[in-house]
Amino acid sequence: GAGVSQSPSNKVTEKGKDVELRCDPISGHTALYWYRQRLGQGLEFLIYFQGNSAPDKSGLPSDRFSAERTGESVSTLTIQRTQQEDSAVYLCASSQQMGATGELFFGEGSRLTVL
Amino acid sequence: RKEVEQDPGPFNVPEGATVAFNCTYSNSASQSFFWYRQDCRKEPKLLMSVYSSGNEDGRFTAQLNRASQYISLLIRDSKLSDSATYLCVSIRDSSYKLIFGSGTRLLVRP
């Protein structure tokens, strides 16, 4: 497809387990973002990738969270030893430039539920 | 204090009504502003940019007041399909990080 693709769309896990979320950005988009959205809340910035530059990890809430991106393609967000407060929708977005135009193209998100 | 703040609503209006939302921002370094729309359980999508001089796109008008550090979105002749959450977004100068507000929920009733 032409849009941002995320998987899994839904993930239910037990507290303490590790989870990995995947994002396939739009081809040719150099910028990739991860946001978290808790129920009824706004989007919380997690991490930003731009080409081969060092990522901005300033939004990651704890060292249990990490993310990688291979070149300008797929990104994975890993949450280790999940906690109940990690339950949220994790949204990936990509854009052609460094967000300068303000238009991010979001995937449908990965809904994580930690029991 | 959040960098971008919005009234969560919901705003419940009849079809055909005019409704306006405000959004305030606390960081004076914020330079660019946008409105996104998010339907229930869907991803956010860009609705419109907000220009200093104000701008209009059909039934939607966005305005920026730098002195008071707020932006607004006006929707005229509301449609049932306008029911959604409207997210206010800012970008700081020379930045790439889009800061999202928590959103204002709009319900348009028949």
Side-chain angles (χ1 to χ4, degrees):
Chain A
V4 176
S5 177
Q6 290 188 245
S7 62
S9 54
N10 277 287
K11 176 72 176 178
V12 180
T13 190
E14 292 179 348
K15 178 181 172 181
K17 300 283 189 184
D18 297 352
V19 296
E20 189 173 278
L21 308 177
R22 176 188 168 108
C23 172
D24 242 303
I26 293 172
S27 178
H29 281 190
T30 57
L32 187 147
Y33 300 73
W34 283 97
Y35 282 86
R36 176 170 73 178
Q37 187 172 32
R38 290 194 169 110
L39 187 64
Q41 303 293 312
L43 277 68
E44 177 187 358
F45 171 82
L46 296 178
I47 189 168
Y48 164 81
F49 296 92
Q50 171 62 39
N52 294 318
S53 302
D56 178 349
K57 304 180 181 180
S58 61
L60 295 179
S62 77
D63 59 8
R64 296 186 295 105
F65 287 72
S66 62
E68 294 183 348
R69 186 182 186 193
T70 307
E72 294 184 356
S73 61
V74 172
S75 175
T76 55
L77 176 68
T78 302
I79 308 173
Q80 295 179 308
R81 305 181 302 281
T82 52
Q83 304 294 313
Q84 288 183 331
E85 64 262 27
D86 299 335
S87 296
V89 176
Y90 290 82
L91 290 159
C92 175
S94 69
S95 72
Q96 282 188 314
Q97 299 176 19
M98 296 193 300
T101 64
E103 184 159 25
L104 300 188
F105 295 85
F106 284 87
E108 294 185 347
S110 291
R111 184 176 300 275
L112 175 65
T113 303
V114 182
L115 301 177
Chain B
R1 184 184 175 188
K2 293 181 181 177
E3 189 161 338
V4 177
E5 296 211 60
Q6 297 182 248
D7 181 342
F11 285 65
N12 192 323
V13 302
E15 263 188 297
T18 295
V19 62
F21 313 133
N22 277 350
C23 162
T24 58
Y25 60 95
S26 60
N27 194 324
S28 58
S30 298
Q31 288 296 317
S32 303
F33 304 90
F34 309 89
W35 284 101
Y36 271 69
R37 171 190 168 131
Q38 186 173 26
D39 292 305
C40 188
R41 291 184 163 257
K42 295 288 189 181
E43 72 275 20
K45 294 183 180 178
L46 179 66
L47 177 66
M48 60 194 301
S49 303
V50 184
Y51 302 127
S52 295
S53 55
N55 50 297
E56 193 173 302
D57 183 0
R59 297 180 294 107
F60 298 82
T61 300
Q63 293 194 312
L64 167 63
N65 184 318
R66 288 194 187 275
S68 300
Q69 296 192 189
Y70 77 84
I71 69 172
S72 64
L73 178 67
L74 181 80
I75 305 175
R76 290 181 300 278
D77 189 22
S78 299
K79 311 291 184 191
L80 294 176
S81 57
D82 293 334
S83 296
T85 296
Y86 291 84
L87 302 167
C88 173
V89 182
S90 74
I91 304 179
R92 296 178 203 162
D93 191 26
S94 303
S95 175
Y96 46 78
K97 194 182 298 184
L98 278 69
I99 309 296
F100 285 78
S102 297
T104 297
R105 191 170 169 214
L106 172 65
L107 300 172
V108 181
R109 63 181 187 272

